[in-house]
Structures are given as C-alpha cells and as structure tokens.
Amino acid sequence: MNIQIFLQQLINGITLGSLYGLVAIGYTMVYGILRLINFAHGDLLMVATYAVIYGIALFALPWYLSFPLAVMVTGLVGILLDKVAYKPLRDAPRISLLISAIGASFLLENLALVVIGGVPKPFPRPPLFDKVIDIYDIKIQVLTIYTPITTILLLLGLLYIIYNTKVGKAMRAASRDFETTRLMGINLDRIIAITFLIGSSLAAVGGIMWAMKYPQVNPFMGIIPGIKAFIAAVLGGIGSITGAVIGGFVLGIGEVLIVAIFPGFAQYRDAFAFLVLILLLIFRPTGIMGEPIVDKT
C-alpha cells in the first residue's frame, strides 16, 4: 500500500467514523439518563431518509429545505417514541424498557415495510456533494470533507448545550441521580423528551449523510449502522458524549484500514466490529472515556 492509498483510506475511515459518532451520541445520551439501550435509535436513520425522499418527491421541496425538515420530523418521532414506548414504563423494571425498545425497533421497521414497501429507493444526492477534489492523486469527494466537519460542529454545539444551559445542567443532574433530580423540582419528563429530540435529530443528520454516501434506502437500512454506532458508544465509554464520537472515529478508521491493509479479511469487516465489542465488554466495559457504571435503581 502506497502513501496515497493509505491517506485515501484514512479519509474514508474518518468519514465513516464521523457517521458512527453522530448516531452514537443518541445512544449515549439516552443511556446516560435512562440506563436504556434504545434499540430503535438506528431505525431513526431510516425515518430521516424516507422523510427526505418524500419531501422532495411528493412536495417538490428543494434539498436545503427537505433536509432540515426531515431532521425536525425525526426529532418529533424520537419524542413520540419516548411518550409511547418508554414513558409508561418509567418506573418498571429495566428489562421491561429493554423489551419495549426492541419492540419499538421492529414496529418502525415493519411499519415502513408495509406502508412504503421493501423495494430499495434511490436517495437524491445534491450536486453540491458530488464534486470530487484531486489533491496529489488523492480523490476526495466533498461529502467526505463535509461529514466530519458537520460531526465536529454538532458535537461542539451539543457540548455547549450540555455545559452552559439549564437544560444541559438538568441532563447532567439526571444522569447522576434520577430521583434526587426529580426531588429538586426538575421536570424529568421534559428533560428526557429534549434528550430524545436532540439524539434523534443527530441520528437524522447521520442518516441523511449515510444515505448520501450509500444512496439506497430501505426499511432495514438502520440496523447495521445502528449496531455499529452502539459499538462506537460502548467503545468510547457509553454515557460520554465526547467518548461516543471518539469511539465512532476509532471504529470507522479501524474498519476501513483493516480492510485496506488485509483485503482478504474484507468479508470479516462486520465481525471485526463485533469482536471489538466482545473484547471491550470483557476487558474494559467502561470504554475509552467512560466512568464506572452506577446502578441508579
């Protein structure tokens, strides 16, 4: 492998990792407050991409309106998910929440299958993201540049909210001690709804960028990216927002470089991610930036 190919693959890995990181933030935010693995989170990618497709196809919206509207719709779907599937089980055993999350995931996938159909649909990629830049024989699609920049900007914006606003402080308090936060008069249901809104919106951004990179959409498209993002969240230290993004970058770059360096292992690319998860759970369950897990029940 020469230096051009290595740099090309490194850039591809950074792009893939930033997509994992964007989606992983939603997992880690919900887990940080509810101690819930929201298995329906990956399916929100699918919701966002179909919202874009129908916004453009049915309402003839330009992409710069359809994209933010799809993010808003997905954020509202995230809130609805909390209200219907999780809020009624707030005081139930944690296993009930987990089962509800799995059921919500199957519901979204099969609802999309029945309503939209299983035939993959092409995702409209705006010409702005199609341009290719040539730097010293390294071909870089501009989407590859926009994706990590978007991830970093959204991460900085989210960190500002978490550390400099009342809502963010309430989120941090809830992640530390759920019951004490409630006793302090903070409306936890509102804070949790905002958490779902933000996490789902970030998943929507990740889903739209994923669909621009791999421009075919189907009702089950969120499963693998969702699982990979979950692994990224665990790798970075689930509960840590910065850790989720770092975990995404590490996983994305690792996946791409392993395939590039050892082409014969290309078919084991997904197995590599799951192997990372197993080894992490055995040797370092707190991940790169995670703190010791505190049982809040």
Side-chain angles (χ1 to χ4, degrees):
M1 180 189 296
N2 59 37
I3 188 66
Q4 281 88 1
I5 294 177
F6 174 78
L7 291 175
Q8 182 81 62
Q9 296 302 329
L10 182 63
I11 292 168
N12 291 338
I14 291 172
T15 304
L16 183 63
S18 58
L19 290 173
Y20 289 155
L22 263 181
V23 183
I25 289 174
Y27 276 110
T28 211
M29 287 182 72
V30 171
Y31 182 85
I33 293 180
L34 292 179
R35 292 291 185 262
L36 165 70
I37 305 299
N38 180 17
F39 282 105
H41 189 68
D43 297 301
L44 296 173
L45 277 73
M46 174 267 296
V47 172
T49 55
Y50 276 114
V52 169
I53 290 174
Y54 283 98
I56 292 174
L58 287 185
F59 302 104
L61 294 175
W63 68 268
Y64 50 83
L65 287 181
S66 187
F67 281 16
L69 280 176
V71 172
M72 291 169 61
V73 168
T74 309
L76 294 177
V77 170
I79 293 176
L80 184 65
L81 198 62
D82 171 51
K83 298 293 182 194
V84 174
Y86 305 137
K87 186 179 176 183
L89 299 171
R90 205 77 90 207
D91 298 318
R94 200 173 300 159
I95 187 67
S96 301
L97 273 172
L98 187 65
I99 293 170
S100 184
I102 295 171
S105 174
F106 286 137
L107 175 65
L108 285 176
E109 291 163 10
N110 287 281
L111 192 62
L113 187 64
V114 171
V115 174
I116 301 169
V119 178
K121 294 182 183 298
F123 188 85
R125 183 163 60 200
L128 172 67
F129 299 97
D130 266 339
K131 294 178 182 175
V132 176
I133 302 172
D134 190 335
I135 304 176
Y136 297 106
D137 293 333
I138 302 173
K139 311 288 185 190
I140 304 173
Q141 193 180 33
V142 291
L143 175 64
T144 308
I145 300 172
Y146 288 143
T147 304
I149 292 175
T150 303
T151 299
I152 297 298
L153 290 177
L154 289 174
L155 172 64
L156 293 176
L158 180 58
L159 289 177
Y160 178 83
I161 292 173
I162 295 294
Y163 289 102
N164 295 282
T165 66
K166 287 184 179 178
V167 169
K169 290 173 183 173
M171 286 179 182
R172 285 192 288 144
S175 71
R176 291 288 178 183
D177 194 321
F178 206 81
E179 291 305 322
T180 303
T181 307
R182 182 179 280 165
L183 290 173
M184 292 172 70
I186 294 173
N187 186 339
L188 272 180
D189 287 334
R190 176 174 167 269
I191 296 302
I192 291 170
I194 293 173
T195 302
F196 272 88
L197 173 67
I198 295 174
S200 303
S201 300
L202 293 176
V205 176
I208 291 170
M209 291 192 160
W210 183 278
M212 284 198 288
K213 186 171 177 61
Y214 309 103
Q216 269 211 335
V217 176
N218 67 72
F220 302 102
M221 63 164 285
I223 295 176
I224 292 299
I227 293 174
K228 297 284 187 69
F230 169 65
I231 295 172
V234 175
L235 176 60
I238 195 157
S240 166
I241 291 172
T242 307
V245 176
I246 292 173
F249 279 121
V250 171
L251 183 64
I253 293 171
E255 265 191 38
V256 172
L257 287 186
I258 281 181
V259 173
I261 296 171
F262 306 105
F265 289 93
Q267 67 269 37
Y268 300 111
R269 177 174 170 165
D270 292 339
F272 163 74
F274 294 116
L275 179 63
V276 168
L277 177 63
I278 292 169
L279 293 176
L280 266 175
L281 293 176
I282 293 174
F283 296 107
R284 189 175 171 80
T286 56
I288 298 171
M289 297 186 66
E291 297 177 358
I293 297 171
V294 178
D295 192 343
K296 295 193 289 187
T297 57

